[in-house]
């Protein structure tokens, strides 16, 4: 169907790196495929070590927050605690484009996180 929602779930270990920033590839957009909405919602707050802030954003490797600005996944979880973004982008008409989810921490490196889970929902469409 067109458009369609894709859901990706990431736990703290998926971003484990001895750094304060790490990106994982969610999927590759096909040529002539676009994104028109992104929702980010965490079900378990990210924490551990001396981490004082933890965010997750969605974009491309050269522009990691192109589709969703950094969302605070360190905050308490709630039924209405989420970030919803209306976007419209068809990044490439001739080749695939990787969509990445990037985690960033403050106070300690990502590999010291001991808890956290986030769902990223991305609505895509294919041009006719």
């Amino acid at each position: 169907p067109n458009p369609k929602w894709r859901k990706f779930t990431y736990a703290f270990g998926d971003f484990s790196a001895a750094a304060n920033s790490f990106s994982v590839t969610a999927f590759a957009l096909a040529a002539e495929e676009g994104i028109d909405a992104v929702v980010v919602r965490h079900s378990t707050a990210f924490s551990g070590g001396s981490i004082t802030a933890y965010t997750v954003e969605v974009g491309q490797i050269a522009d990691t927050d192109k589709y969703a600005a950094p969302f605070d996944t360190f905050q308490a979880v709630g039924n209405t605690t989420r970030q919803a973004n209306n976007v419209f982008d068809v990044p490439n008409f001739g080749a695939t484009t990787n969509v990445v989810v990037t985690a960033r921490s403050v106070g300690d490196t990502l590999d010291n996180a001991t808890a956290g889970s986030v769902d990223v929902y991305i609505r895509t469409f294919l041009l006719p």
Side-chain angles (χ1 to χ4, degrees):
N2 194 17
K4 79 174 183 182
W5 282 99
R6 301 175 188 206
K7 179 183 178 187
F8 304 91
T9 300
Y10 299 99
F12 65 94
D14 295 320
F15 301 112
S16 185
N20 295 101
S21 175
F22 187 75
S23 298
V24 297
T25 299
F27 69 104
L29 282 169
E32 299 184 357
E33 186 177 17
I35 293 176
D36 66 358
V38 177
V39 177
V40 181
R41 181 179 184 275
H42 63 315
S43 57
T44 304
F46 284 75
S47 63
S50 301
I51 293 173
T52 57
Y54 200 112
T55 60
V56 172
E57 58 200 61
V58 182
Q60 298 173 11
I61 201 65
D63 189 0
T64 56
D65 65 350
K66 183 175 183 76
Y67 304 122
F71 173 70
D72 179 6
T73 56
F74 193 74
Q75 68 184 312
V77 173
N79 289 335
T80 60
T81 306
R82 84 296 182 256
Q83 180 186 81
N85 304 278
N86 288 317
V87 297
F88 185 85
D89 187 41
V90 181
N92 198 311
F93 281 76
T96 61
T97 302
N98 285 337
V99 175
V100 300
V101 178
T102 301
R104 298 185 190 281
S105 63
V106 175
D108 208 341
T109 54
L110 294 165
D111 59 343
N112 286 307
T114 57
S117 181
V118 63
D119 293 322
V120 176
Y121 302 86
I122 302 173
R123 189 169 67 188
T124 61
F125 62 91
L126 190 58
L127 294 177

